[in-house]
Amino acid sequence: MNKKKLSLNQIVFLSSGITALIIAITLLIIFALTYRPSIAFYKVPDQVKKALYDYIIQNTKENYRFIELDSSVPLSKQSKKFASASFIFVNQDCDSKEFAQTSSKIKSLPVDLTSNIPDSVQKSLTIKKNGVKYLPILYDFYQIDVNYENFQKSPVKNINYWQDLVDFLYSQKASIKTPLIFDGGDSPCAIDIFGMILESASSPEEYSQLLDKIYDIYKNQSDNLENFAQEFTQLINSNEACIKSKDKIKELIQSGILDKSILQFERGSSVSLAGTNSCAALITKLSDHRKISHSVIRNYKSIYCPSYPDNFKRKFAAPEIALLCLKKSKKNILLAEKLIKSGQSEISTNGGLSPVDKNCTPSDLQADDVRYWIAASSGPLLPLSAAIPDDKFQKEAAQILYKFD
């Protein structure tokens, strides 16, 4: 019986197939040996990034790759940069929150992971099909640090309402050039403090409506800064809550409580001035409050922005560090559970922010106060700058908010 011989073309084809298979197997082996899972971070403070990264490394024993996303560009426009990540930790803004809710790239986590979160915070989450697509991990907070020694010597005995704070600050003018300071040169900070004052004098519904309107303007004009500035100006100058907030800030400047050049106070200025006892109070985020030396900050008492006597319903604006899941697996779900249910005390202590978990032990009274204020209110709000997730637009918005005729 004659054996059929392979033709030259068949031999070449077979050899090519075997070669391709060997290359593919080799590449798979190399990939398996060199693959590193990755974690992405978006606008997360450095100290918090380190705390989260260190906790994950210690509890998984895996060498995760660190991806730093561009903080000046909206998260939804960076999908190629974080495509390989298992998780993204985000300092939540309107764009990233909307992206998490609508994008198929973000996977739902089991809703029972939220069981340790206070009820008021749970109500702020969007839950679909028994899953949640963004999971709060930590809260930052805009607070007022009052020089307690100065306060004890002042004629004001308690700060219960906005006017009490104004009276205290006014009483300090004789000895302190600028009684109240904040980092107005940092555009997100300037916008958020405007929003903090606005929230204290209006309802959570008015604040939320304003946030949505600003975000709509940004989305519609995100390619045209001039049009954005025009529409934003029209909104601010016609919105009753904004007018009230602008008037309150204008009064602080006219009375000498707040420096008229507040937008020139660059990031870190308030921390430096507090160290030289150059203010009676400063408005700062919890994450920046942590940068002030203990010898200085021990002389200050932290309070939330007081409201008018008739404003009983509060819903504080609190920058939120949240977890978004890109690769849903049993391993990743277990890690998310550790982060939210077991690691809160350690991450909060090392990162300096307030834990979301209602059962964990906070690192100090400062973090516990923030957790209590948020839990005791009707829930957290995104800070006002969250509606404008682009640096150059934020700078323009800050200039408009602090422009007084």
Side-chain angles (χ1 to χ4, degrees):
M1 185 176 186
N2 293 330
K3 292 184 178 178
K4 189 176 180 180
K5 295 183 179 180
L6 296 174
S7 68
L8 181 60
N9 287 340
Q10 288 174 319
I11 291 172
V12 171
F13 178 78
L14 186 60
S15 298
S16 299
I18 292 171
T19 302
L21 181 62
I22 292 171
I23 292 172
I25 292 171
T26 303
L27 289 174
L28 284 171
I29 292 171
I30 292 171
F31 177 78
L33 292 174
T34 60
Y35 170 74
R36 291 174 61 193
S38 56
I39 308 169
F41 293 90
Y42 179 66
K43 296 185 178 180
V44 178
D46 289 340
Q47 189 176 349
V48 182
K49 271 187 291 195
K50 186 177 186 310
L52 287 165
Y53 185 77
D54 288 350
Y55 180 84
I56 289 171
I57 297 295
Q58 291 165 9
N59 284 271
T60 62
K61 308 302 180 185
E62 292 194 55
N63 187 20
Y64 277 81
R65 191 163 58 92
F66 186 105
I67 301 173
E68 181 70 71
L69 299 173
D70 189 341
S71 63
S72 67
V73 179
L75 180 71
S76 61
K77 296 181 180 180
Q78 301 190 67
S79 56
K80 289 183 179 178
K81 292 184 179 180
F82 59 71
S84 64
S86 299
F87 295 116
I88 314 173
F89 290 98
V90 301
N91 195 339
Q92 199 79 263
D93 58 30
C94 292
D95 172 81
S96 59
K97 197 165 188 176
E98 183 177 68
F99 180 72
Q101 292 170 343
T102 60
S103 174
S104 60
K105 297 179 186 294
I106 307 301
K107 310 304 179 185
S108 290
L109 290 166
V111 73
D112 63 6
L113 294 187
T114 68
S115 60
N116 282 15
I117 294 175
D119 292 343
S120 64
V121 179
Q122 285 192 44
K123 290 175 183 176
S124 71
L125 302 177
T126 301
I127 297 172
K128 293 182 179 178
K129 297 180 180 178
N130 210 33
V132 60
K133 296 187 78 174
Y134 63 95
L135 192 65
I137 299 290
L138 299 165
Y139 281 112
D140 212 336
F141 192 81
Y142 279 96
Q143 59 195 29
I144 302 175
D145 291 327
V146 177
N147 187 309
Y148 195 60
E149 184 178 346
N150 289 23
F151 176 72
Q152 286 184 312
K153 294 177 181 177
S154 78
V156 178
K157 299 308 174 189
N158 294 290
I159 299 179
N160 295 319
Y161 304 111
W162 175 259
Q163 191 56 48
D164 298 332
L165 176 64
V166 172
D167 290 344
F168 161 66
L169 293 170
Y170 192 80
S171 74
Q172 301 301 298
K173 281 182 56 183
S175 56
I176 298 175
K177 182 181 178 182
T178 307
L180 179 65
I181 58 172
F182 59 84
D183 295 346
D186 180 44
S187 297
C189 177
I191 296 168
D192 291 343
I193 288 172
F194 183 95
M196 180 190 79
I197 294 171
L198 185 147
E199 182 277 330
S200 73
S202 58
S203 70
E205 290 76 20
E206 287 177 298
Y207 181 97
S208 296
Q209 288 168 10
L210 178 65
L211 189 80
D212 290 341
K213 286 176 182 177
I214 295 173
Y215 185 47
D216 285 341
I217 292 174
Y218 167 77
K219 284 196 294 184
N220 293 332
Q221 302 297 343
S222 60
D223 295 325
N224 192 315
L225 182 59
E226 186 176 341
N227 285 355
F228 167 83
Q230 184 177 351
E231 291 192 25
F232 184 76
T233 300
Q234 289 174 353
L235 172 63
I236 298 305
N237 291 341
S238 61
N239 182 277
E240 187 177 341
C242 288
I243 293 169
K244 190 185 295 185
S245 188
K246 286 195 81 163
D247 286 344
K248 290 172 78 172
I249 294 172
K250 188 177 180 179
E251 287 171 7
L252 293 177
I253 292 173
Q254 289 177 336
S255 63
I257 290 172
L258 189 65
D259 197 296
K260 63 182 179 180
S261 61
I262 189 64
L263 291 190
Q264 296 176 23
F265 283 50
E266 295 299 327
R267 185 172 177 81
S269 297
S270 59
V271 172
S272 300
L273 289 169
T276 58
N277 202 31
S278 299
C279 63
L282 63 149
I283 307 176
T284 184
K285 280 194 295 189
L286 177 59
S287 53
D288 290 325
H289 169 101
R290 299 300 194 188
K291 298 174 185 177
I292 304 173
S293 68
H294 177 69
S295 62
V296 172
I297 205 61
R298 69 182 180 183
N299 298 319
Y300 286 79
K301 180 176 175 59
S302 298
I303 62 172
Y304 57 77
C305 186
S307 61
Y308 288 146
D310 58 348
N311 188 13
F312 298 109
K313 190 177 180 183
R314 299 299 298 274
K315 200 171 184 179
F316 301 110
E320 176 181 286
I321 308 299
L323 169 67
L324 312 184
C325 179
L326 287 160
K327 291 180 171 57
K328 191 174 181 179
S329 65
K330 186 176 181 180
K331 180 183 77 172
N332 285 347
I333 290 173
L334 287 173
L335 178 54
E337 185 175 14
K338 276 188 176 181
L339 284 163
I340 192 65
K341 290 187 175 181
S342 306
Q344 290 272 294
S345 292
E346 182 178 335
I347 296 167
S348 170
T349 299
N350 295 333
L353 297 189
S354 171
V356 174
D357 181 2
K358 62 186 177 184
N359 296 324
C360 82
T361 303
S363 56
D364 59 9
L365 180 61
Q366 185 78 42
D368 197 27
D369 279 347
V370 169
R371 181 174 64 172
Y372 173 76
W373 293 334
I374 294 172
S377 72
S378 53
L381 294 164
L382 287 177
L384 203 60
S385 68
I388 314 171
D390 186 304
D391 282 5
K392 61 180 180 293
F393 285 79
Q394 287 183 348
K395 187 173 182 179
E396 186 71 25
Q399 294 292 332
I400 293 167
L401 290 174
Y402 290 81
K403 182 180 181 182
F404 305 102
D405 298 327

